[in-house]
Amino acid sequence: QQAGTPLSDQEYHQFFMFLQVARRAKTACLLRMLYGCQNPLVQRLDKYENHGVIPKEPVCSELPGDPFFPDFCTFSLYRCTSKRYFIKV
């Protein structure tokens, strides 16, 4: 495609799908920051992310350098505050 031309239908779909996912991640972070990790909705999201069980022990992440967090809540709050929404445990 030439510079300045609109995206194809497939490219638009991918572009907006990414934006919706990022918006959902920001919304989940806002809920976490407002209500904390003990909120039932936040816990439901955490369970979904972890196949039904929220890790209670320390977790390691894909982050280079210092990938250790004392628990999943701390890890999730780190993702939210650093705006690195899609880092995995």
Side-chain angles (χ1 to χ4, degrees), residues 15-87:
F15 175 74
F16 284 109
M17 187 169 60
F18 172 77
L19 290 180
Q20 289 175 346
V21 170
R23 187 175 346 153
R24 289 181 189 144
K26 288 178 185 177
T27 301
C29 281
L30 180 61
L31 287 172
R32 182 178 303 281
M33 292 163 76
L34 287 173
Y35 301 112
C37 294
Q38 300 308 313
N39 178 272
L41 178 56
V42 172
Q43 286 187 341
R44 192 173 331 148
L45 292 171
D46 289 349
K47 285 180 181 178
Y48 180 79
E49 183 177 356
N50 292 285
H51 295 103
V53 178
I54 301 170
K56 303 229 183 278
E57 63 277 344
V59 296
C60 294
S61 73
E62 293 179 342
L63 286 168
D66 188 20
F68 179 81
F69 295 90
D71 55 37
F72 188 78
C73 182
T74 305
F75 168 69
S76 296
L77 287 171
Y78 171 81
R79 284 192 305 194
C80 290
T81 56
S82 66
K83 297 181 180 175
R84 298 176 79 181
Y85 306 117
F86 304 109
I87 298 169

